[in-house]
Amino acid sequence: MLIVDKRKGDKMPVHDVIPTPSVGLNRALGGGLNTGATHLFWGNPSVGKSTICFRILAEAQSRGFRPVIVDSEYSFNEEYAAKCGIDISDIVVIQSTVVEDILRHLHPYLNHDEEKHVFLFDSLSNIIRQEAYDKPEGSKAIGLLARSQGALLQQLVNYLHKERNLMIFIAHQTMDLSGMYAITKAKIGNSVYHNMHNIVKLFLSQSSKEMERDDRNMIVSQKVAWTIDKTKQRASIGTKGDYYVIPQEAKIDEYRELLDIAIEMNIIERRGAWYFYGEEKWNGISKIVLTDKQLEEINAKILV
């Protein structure tokens, strides 16, 4: 619980901002993900939900936040997490699908008044209350999954603190076939939707024109489109963008995305086949080579 009495000189905690590996997402959200908030990423299979979240965890860890990973899918891979930049020697991993168990083991970290934590729930779609296992009919109860997610979020939100933590959730995509057209939806209930500060939808393109393969026919680059379904950080609901994920390296092609946005914003000027930035020019986008200083300058202009 937090009480701020302005008459007594109390001040509201000030949130930090944790950048995502996507330049476009950072621009839309005002720099990245706010601390003291809940953030949900959902999308189709193999879109890289865990990858982008692991990258965010690594960034948060570099800023003093200790990662706590709730692995409800029992799929956490230390080697892959390390590949995404996470220092696996200083993390907490909780493997469970039961709401009550998860909350009980999270309690010491949620209540910690010294350490800062970043919590990742991978995935929210697989977490359910104990009653699903206690009764044979429990897992078939109408709305049990949504109620379970709501019960978890309701308690977690109570522990949010702008200076000490942030919470990131992953959810799977489902198809709503109740209407005339199929609609993709996140596998979450209304309570979860209302308790999220940011919801980002990710969609992996299967078009051969939007992926690159190597000599072994392995995909080395694939386009991901993102949409901000909900945000309480700034007026950017409905904002869309895309980036290219490099699956073999477990990362996003930040350089390519930055170039695309810089050209779109006319920071790098395009005249026919030529591209100009300051005193430099290149014939073709593939020929553009920017220094670290130029990258910092362009990134600062994009995030204004």
Side-chain angles (χ1 to χ4, degrees):
M1 184 174 74
L2 175 68
I3 298 176
V4 177
D5 190 331
K6 291 288 188 177
R7 183 179 291 181
K8 295 179 180 179
D10 296 343
K11 295 182 179 180
M12 286 291 295
V14 180
H15 69 77
D16 196 358
V17 180
I18 309 298
T20 76
S22 167
V23 180
L25 262 179
N26 293 339
R27 175 178 62 162
L29 294 172
L33 306 183
N34 287 357
T35 56
T38 53
H39 312 277
L40 173 70
F41 290 86
W42 71 277
N44 56 340
S46 301
V47 74
K49 301 182 288 294
S50 297
T51 301
I52 192 171
C53 289
F54 279 179
R55 289 281 173 180
I56 296 169
L57 258 61
E59 181 63 36
Q61 190 177 41
S62 72
R63 294 167 182 247
F65 290 82
R66 190 181 187 200
V68 179
I69 301 169
V70 177
D71 176 28
S72 67
E73 298 188 347
Y74 289 74
S75 60
F76 176 73
N77 184 302
E78 284 192 348
E79 185 177 327
Y80 190 79
K83 198 172 185 178
C84 291
I86 296 174
D87 176 5
I88 59 172
S89 68
D90 190 28
I91 63 174
V92 178
V93 178
I94 298 172
Q95 289 188 323
S96 177
T97 62
V98 181
V99 170
E100 293 85 349
D101 286 346
I102 291 170
L103 288 171
R104 182 168 59 255
H105 289 94
L106 281 179
H107 196 263
Y109 306 103
L110 293 168
N111 269 320
H112 209 292
D113 57 2
E114 294 180 3
E115 285 188 340
K116 300 189 295 184
H117 295 93
V118 51
F119 299 91
L120 172 63
F121 297 80
D122 186 6
S123 72
L124 187 60
S125 308
N126 211 35
I127 296 175
I128 200 163
R129 293 172 106 168
Q130 180 65 46
E131 64 181 274
Y133 301 98
D134 289 341
K135 300 181 292 185
E137 73 278 10
S139 60
K140 299 179 181 179
I142 296 175
L144 178 58
L145 180 60
R147 294 200 308 274
S148 299
Q149 294 174 350
L152 177 70
L153 260 292
Q154 187 64 48
Q155 294 203 45
L156 290 176
V157 167
N158 183 59
Y159 293 97
L160 283 174
H161 192 284
K162 290 184 178 180
E163 295 174 350
R164 292 203 298 264
N165 59 38
L166 70 155
M167 300 176 186
I168 304 171
F169 302 83
I170 293 173
H172 297 308
Q173 172 186 293
T174 58
M175 298 292 293
D176 183 354
L177 304 176
S178 60
M180 293 182 63
Y181 304 99
I183 300 174
T184 58
K185 298 177 66 176
K187 193 175 182 181
I188 57 174
N190 289 333
S191 178
V192 171
Y193 181 88
H194 291 302
N195 277 295
M196 288 295 170
H197 293 86
N198 289 309
I199 299 179
V200 179
K201 174 185 176 182
L202 303 175
F203 179 78
L204 183 70
S205 173
Q206 298 296 329
S207 170
S208 59
K209 296 180 180 179
E210 296 178 333
M211 68 174 69
E212 298 171 5
R213 296 178 181 269
D214 61 16
D215 295 338
R216 299 169 299 166
N217 206 29
M218 298 280 288
I219 296 174
V220 295
S221 178
Q222 198 164 4
K223 188 175 183 180
V224 174
W226 56 263
T227 305
I228 296 180
D229 282 353
K230 177 185 177 181
T231 179
K232 294 185 178 179
Q233 292 188 190
R234 66 190 321 190
S236 56
I237 295 176
T239 303
K240 299 181 179 182
D242 52 66
Y243 57 76
Y244 280 83
V245 64
I246 306 175
Q248 306 304 324
E249 299 180 27
K251 69 178 186 180
I252 286 173
D253 193 340
E254 295 181 55
Y255 186 81
R256 182 173 181 175
E257 184 186 11
L258 183 137
L259 284 184
D260 288 344
I261 295 174
I263 294 168
E264 173 193 323
M265 296 178 67
N266 208 36
I267 296 172
I268 295 177
E269 186 180 355
R270 179 179 180 179
R271 303 176 200 163
W274 288 87
Y275 295 84
F276 298 80
Y277 182 71
E279 299 298 319
E280 296 191 58
K281 65 179 181 179
W282 304 271
N283 186 10
I285 191 171
S286 62
K287 301 292 180 62
I288 298 177
V289 178
L290 299 169
T291 64
D292 290 342
K293 183 179 179 181
Q294 290 172 325
L295 288 172
E296 290 179 9
E297 290 174 352
I298 293 173
N299 197 52
K301 292 176 182 178
I302 288 174
L303 295 179
V304 169

